[in-house]
Amino acid sequence: MLDTILPFIYIILSCYLLKFACDTFEQAAGYLGRNFPPGVKGATVNAIGSSMPEMCVVIACLFWFNDPSLVMVALGVTAGSAIFNGCVIPALSIIMAKDGNGKSVEHIELNKRVLLRDVFWVLTAEVALIVCLGFNSFTIWMAVILNVIYFLYAVHLYFDAKNHVSDDDEEYEYEEIEDRGVFANILTFNFNALFFSNRAFTATSAIIVISLAIAVISGASHILVEGVLGSSAVLGVPQFFAGLVFGAAASSIPDLILSVKDAQKGDYEDAVANPLASNTFDTTVAFALPLLAWFIINGVDSLPLVQDDNLTILRWSIVGITAAVAASLLFNYKKVTKTIAYFLLAMFTIWAASMYFVIQ
């Protein structure tokens, strides 16, 4: 009995660990990126903070488990996370959105130019990824190309930020995590409260806190991979599918919480932009940077890929779902209603169900 439920306990535990560890990571990273232009900060600090779980899953598969064949599990987590981020997070953000007075709203409005920019780069990243996955091996140059795509996205954001004229001089504001006492701080990884009395960060304290948060995220990602592998055995489904659904949902918890919080504060642009920017990061840096490091460390320049129906279905479903989400938002950017949110949730449910029946 315990063997049957243990993998799912691992997945639930990893959700808990990732949620609080990413909160702490983003708190310290916010200080370290305090002088970045807003666009660059969003593309680096915020995206890395909410996408650390996906990157650490890839690292765990390649380095902790030391099994390159598990790259398909990592790919499932990364790809599934991209679809979860694109469908579920914007949908729940729309449904739970509030105005400046804290009252629920029936629709939100988005900036078309910003939406077009983020959609262009996420589709560019995903098309590049599926082209790379169409070959019989994933090479070191493919890893380089995916990382370059994200660098170009960050450059685009930088120039957007430079051209943006703000009416206010925004200064860094310390984002305090409530001090709940020693025991609760340990359970929620509030390292700044534990070791630095919850004082405003210095460079030293921020680096220490962010390092501890990364250690927890790495451990949680290892637990998540264990849960994904175990759940696939219990359910009798491929490891690839377990990563695609369970691993992806668990690793997307930080993105979901961050976007819903933004929507409830009335920051609709950030609520929708965060999952799109995170998807660009997930499908480029989070997946390709650990692979690039693995290639260099092991002195090899390629990793064989087994071309099967599962991989083909995944490749096209990523871009197809993202394009459908993009069209839903772009054609209705002036009035994104809850009906659109329910459509996005239905699309994700149908996709997940179809993956269960197709990927066997």
Side-chain angles (χ1 to χ4, degrees):
M1 179 64 180
L2 181 60
D3 291 341
T4 302
I5 65 172
L6 191 58
F8 301 99
I9 293 175
Y10 283 157
I11 292 173
I12 293 170
L13 175 61
S14 68
C15 289
Y16 170 85
L17 296 174
L18 289 171
K19 189 275 177 194
F20 288 106
C22 286
D23 282 350
T24 299
F25 181 99
E26 289 168 3
Q27 181 198 34
Y31 173 80
L32 294 176
R34 65 195 183 281
N35 294 323
F36 290 0
V40 175
K41 182 181 177 183
T44 54
V45 174
N46 294 346
I48 292 171
S50 58
S51 296
M52 276 299 294
E54 287 85 356
M55 177 179 279
C56 286
V57 164
V58 182
I59 293 171
C61 290
L62 291 173
F63 296 99
W64 286 32
F65 287 86
N66 196 28
D67 186 354
S69 67
L70 290 181
V71 74
M72 289 305 295
V73 175
L75 179 61
V77 172
T78 302
S81 177
I83 294 176
F84 184 94
N85 286 357
C87 294
V88 178
I89 294 179
L92 293 182
S93 297
I94 295 165
I95 292 170
M96 303 180 73
K98 296 181 180 180
D99 59 20
N101 297 319
K103 295 181 179 180
S104 296
V105 296
E106 293 302 314
H107 69 272
I108 66 173
E109 184 176 345
L110 301 173
N111 183 302
K112 186 177 182 180
R113 185 185 62 81
V114 172
L115 192 57
L116 278 170
R117 179 197 67 196
D118 291 337
V119 164
F120 170 79
W121 283 108
V122 73
L123 284 173
T124 299
E126 291 179 357
V127 168
L129 179 62
I130 68 166
V131 169
C132 292
L133 295 178
F135 292 88
N136 292 325
S137 60
F138 190 93
T139 69
I140 188 170
W141 289 110
M142 293 176 184
V144 170
I145 289 169
L146 290 175
N147 281 286
V148 167
I149 287 173
Y150 187 79
F151 172 76
L152 294 175
Y153 173 52
V155 170
H156 189 166
L157 288 171
Y158 173 79
F159 283 107
D160 268 9
K162 293 283 285 185
N163 294 330
H164 174 70
V165 179
S166 177
D167 296 330
D168 304 310
D169 293 328
E170 296 183 6
E171 296 182 357
Y172 166 73
E173 185 176 338
Y174 173 57
E175 298 178 8
E176 180 177 325
I177 297 176
E178 183 183 352
D179 187 342
R180 299 184 178 90
V182 174
F183 184 67
N185 287 337
I186 293 173
L187 290 179
T188 57
F189 312 117
N190 189 357
F191 297 123
N192 194 37
L194 281 171
F195 301 117
F196 303 105
S197 302
N198 228 9
R199 294 190 296 269
F201 280 115
T202 63
T204 300
S205 63
I207 290 172
I208 292 173
V209 168
I210 209 168
S211 299
L212 292 171
I214 289 173
V216 175
I217 293 170
S218 299
S221 300
H222 186 278
I223 294 171
L224 177 58
V225 174
E226 290 278 12
V228 166
L229 298 179
S231 65
S232 72
V234 170
L235 296 174
V237 298
Q239 294 175 347
F240 177 74
F241 174 80
L244 197 63
V245 177
F246 300 123
S251 65
S252 295
I253 293 296
D255 288 300
L256 175 60
I257 293 173
L258 182 61
S259 285
V260 169
K261 283 182 178 178
D262 282 338
Q264 291 180 329
K265 292 187 293 185
D267 298 331
Y268 310 135
E269 293 289 346
D270 291 336
V272 174
N274 173 58
L276 292 177
S278 292
N279 279 2
T280 306
F281 185 89
D282 288 346
T283 51
T284 54
V285 177
F287 180 69
L289 187 59
L291 271 169
L292 181 61
W294 186 84
F295 284 137
I296 294 171
I297 291 171
N298 289 278
V300 296
D301 59 8
S302 66
L303 181 66
L305 291 175
V306 178
Q307 293 296 326
D308 59 13
D309 292 340
N310 292 349
L311 187 56
T312 301
I313 291 168
L314 173 68
R315 288 166 60 205
W316 293 109
S317 69
I318 295 174
V319 176
I321 292 289
T322 303
V325 172
S328 300
L329 297 176
L330 283 170
F331 289 136
N332 301 280
Y333 71 95
K334 289 184 178 180
K335 191 176 182 181
V336 187
T337 65
K338 292 183 179 180
T339 300
I340 295 170
Y342 295 133
F343 168 75
L344 297 180
L345 290 176
M347 185 163 56
F348 177 79
T349 302
I350 293 170
W351 171 81
S354 65
M355 290 297 102
Y356 175 78
F357 289 107
V358 173
I359 299 179
Q360 294 292 338

